[in-house]
Amino acid sequence: MSDRSREQKKRTATTTKGAQRRALILDAAEKILFESGYSELTMRAVAVTAQVRLGHVQYYFPSRTELIAAVLHRTLDRSLDRLAPLFTDTAAHTTPDAEGLIRQLLAEHDDPRLVRVYAELWALAGRDEAVATVLRTFYGDYQDHVAGFLRARNPALPDTVCQARARVFTALIEGAALFRSGIAAHRTEAADAELINTATALLG
C-alpha cells in the first residue's frame, strides 16, 4: 500500500470515527430531550449520558445553542422523512386520498414522547431565534409538501391559494397534537370527526 493510500485510509477512519462520536452525542442529547425536557439538556448531562468527556461534546458543539440546533435539525429531518412519502406516494394517484392522508398524519400524534418534544420546541422557539429558524425551515418544507398535494388534487387552483391553504392545514394538524395527546386535552371521536372533515375541506 502506498503512503498516499495509507494516509487516505487514515483520514477516512478518522472521519468515520468522528461521525460516529458526533452521532453518539446527538443520540444522548435527543434522549435527554425526549425523556427529561429542554431544561435538563446541558452539555455536562449529554457528556455523562453519551459516556464521553465534556471536552468531546464541546469539540463537536462549542455551545449549547449549537448542540440543541443540531438535535432539532436531526429530529425534524427524520419527521419530514417520515411525512414526505405520505404526500408524494398519495399524490401519484389520479385523485389523491385526502382523508387517508389526514388519518396517517394524525397517527403521528400517537407517540406521546414525540408530541412532548414538539411542545418543547414550540415553547423554546419563542425564546431562542436559532431554534425558531430551524422550526420555520421544517414547517416551510412541510407546507410545500401539502401545497404539492393540493395542486395534485386541484390543478386549476392558484399557487397562492394552495400555499395559504397549506399553511392553515399545517397549523390545524400540528396544533391539534396538543389537544389530542393529553397535554392540553384528550381526544374524542366527535372532535376527531370534525377535525378530519375540516382538514379534508381545506384539501379540496
Side-chain angles (χ1 to χ4, degrees):
M1 181 182 292
S2 68
D3 290 343
R4 183 176 179 181
S5 296
R6 288 193 188 92
E7 185 61 29
Q8 185 175 9
K9 186 175 181 181
K10 183 179 179 180
R11 282 200 302 270
T12 301
T14 301
T15 301
T16 301
K17 185 177 180 180
Q20 290 172 342
R21 180 169 287 165
R22 188 178 188 275
L24 180 67
I25 291 169
L26 288 176
D27 286 343
E30 188 175 276
K31 175 180 172 65
I32 294 170
L33 182 63
F34 269 56
E35 296 180 357
S36 305
Y38 168 74
S39 62
E40 299 299 317
L41 186 56
T42 66
M43 303 286 269
R44 191 171 298 280
V46 170
V48 171
T49 303
Q51 297 184 332
V52 300
R53 290 195 293 270
L54 178 59
H56 286 149
V57 178
Q58 293 170 328
Y59 173 79
Y60 291 101
F61 306 100
S63 70
R64 183 170 182 253
T65 297
E66 290 175 79
L67 171 61
I68 292 170
V71 171
L72 301 190
H73 269 296
R74 193 173 72 157
T75 300
L76 295 175
D77 284 347
R78 286 174 175 173
S79 289
L80 201 57
D81 286 344
R82 288 197 309 274
L83 295 175
L86 301 182
F87 298 102
T88 55
D89 291 350
T90 310
H93 297 88
T94 304
T95 305
D97 178 16
E99 184 175 334
L101 168 70
I102 293 163
R103 289 187 182 280
Q104 290 183 71
L105 291 175
L106 293 179
E108 289 274 304
H109 300 171
D110 292 339
D111 183 350
R113 291 196 321 160
L114 188 60
V115 176
R116 281 199 301 273
V117 167
Y118 273 89
E120 292 267 2
L121 298 186
W122 295 332
L124 182 55
R127 304 190 301 271
D128 190 319
E129 181 56 28
V131 175
T133 298
V134 175
L135 209 55
R136 283 194 293 266
T137 299
F138 167 73
Y139 281 119
D141 290 340
Y142 188 135
Q143 289 164 24
D144 285 343
H145 283 298
V146 177
F149 184 89
L150 263 164
R151 281 189 289 271
R153 282 178 61 85
N154 309 277
L157 207 61
D159 188 62
T160 52
V161 175
C162 287
Q163 290 292 336
R165 286 192 188 180
R167 176 171 289 197
V168 175
F169 177 88
T170 303
L172 177 66
I173 296 297
E174 293 299 287
L178 289 175
F179 291 88
R180 301 181 71 252
S181 63
I183 294 177
H186 294 282
R187 72 184 66 178
T188 67
E189 289 187 10
D192 271 4
E194 289 299 327
L195 173 62
I196 291 169
N197 287 339
T198 302
T200 302
L202 282 169
L203 295 181

